[in-house]
Amino acid sequence: MTQFSFALSYISFMVESGKSTVDKVFDVDSNPWVYASAIICILTPVAWERDITKFAFTFLIGCLLIVWGLIVVSFYATGVLYEEKQFGPEIKALNTNGYLTTLGMTIYSFEGIGIVMPVMHSCDSPEKFTSIFICAMITLVITIITFSELCYLT
């Protein structure tokens, strides 16, 4: 059930992102079922693949695109804050309307934690894994907090 809910939240996120992008760029109100159908048609054959080493190159491209997206959005948000000389409207310390969504996305962000033990056991030097893992988690948490706060304040 956990994996099913993660998959649904991932599909929902991609549908909403695609729909909002197309709607904003082309000034239309598109049907979200079109995006959901396309995403399911793409992801279903991928889910059947057992040898994920074939996707190593696409994983690298995906990581680079994520970093590029973080950089572009950060520069844009910083530029907007610089031009406006103030924070965005209606900033709340705790938004009770979106609290459950935030909680779900936070859990989703750390969903990969289940692969920590297998990675540690396959590591060349497991004695160094704890320090590497702690540094990676600190970097991840700082990046998520900084990026989300910048975007929320904008």
Side-chain angles (χ1 to χ4, degrees), residues 1 8 15 18 22 25 31 38 48 50 55 59 76 86-87 91 94 106 108-109 112 115 119 128 130 133 135 137 142:
M1 288 302 292
L8 284 181
V15 167
V22 169
V25 169
N31 186 352
W48 291 333
R50 292 286 185 186
F55 299 118
F59 177 75
Y76 177 77
Q86 64 183 1
F87 293 134
I91 292 180
L94 179 63
T106 302
Y108 179 74
S109 295
I115 64 167
V119 169
K128 295 180 183 178
T130 303
F133 176 71
C135 290
M137 288 304 290
I142 289 172

Side-chain angles (χ1 to χ4, degrees), residues 73-143:
V73 172
S74 295
F75 273 104
Y76 177 77
T78 305
V80 169
L81 282 176
Y82 181 76
E83 287 177 9
E84 298 292 327
K85 307 277 193 254
Q86 64 183 1
F87 293 134
E90 300 178 23
I91 292 180
K92 300 177 188 176
L94 179 63
N95 184 358
T96 55
N97 294 335
Y99 183 74
L100 291 177
T101 304
T102 302
L103 183 63
M105 288 308 291
T106 302
I107 292 169
Y108 179 74
S109 295
F110 292 98
E111 185 261 338
I113 203 76
I115 64 167
V116 169
M117 295 304 285
V119 169
M120 183 177 83
H121 291 297
S122 66
C123 188
D124 286 339
S125 50
E127 64 277 356
K128 295 180 183 178
F129 183 77
T130 303
S131 60
I132 293 170
F133 176 71
I134 289 171
C135 290
M137 288 304 290
I138 289 171
T139 303
L140 178 65
V141 168
I142 289 172
T143 302

Side-chain angles (χ1 to χ4, degrees), residues 16-32 35:
E16 288 298 319
S17 296
K19 179 180 174 1
S20 65
T21 302
V22 169
D23 290 355
K24 188 77 163 179
V25 169
F26 297 109
D27 196 26
V28 295
D29 185 24
S30 57
N31 186 352
Y35 303 99

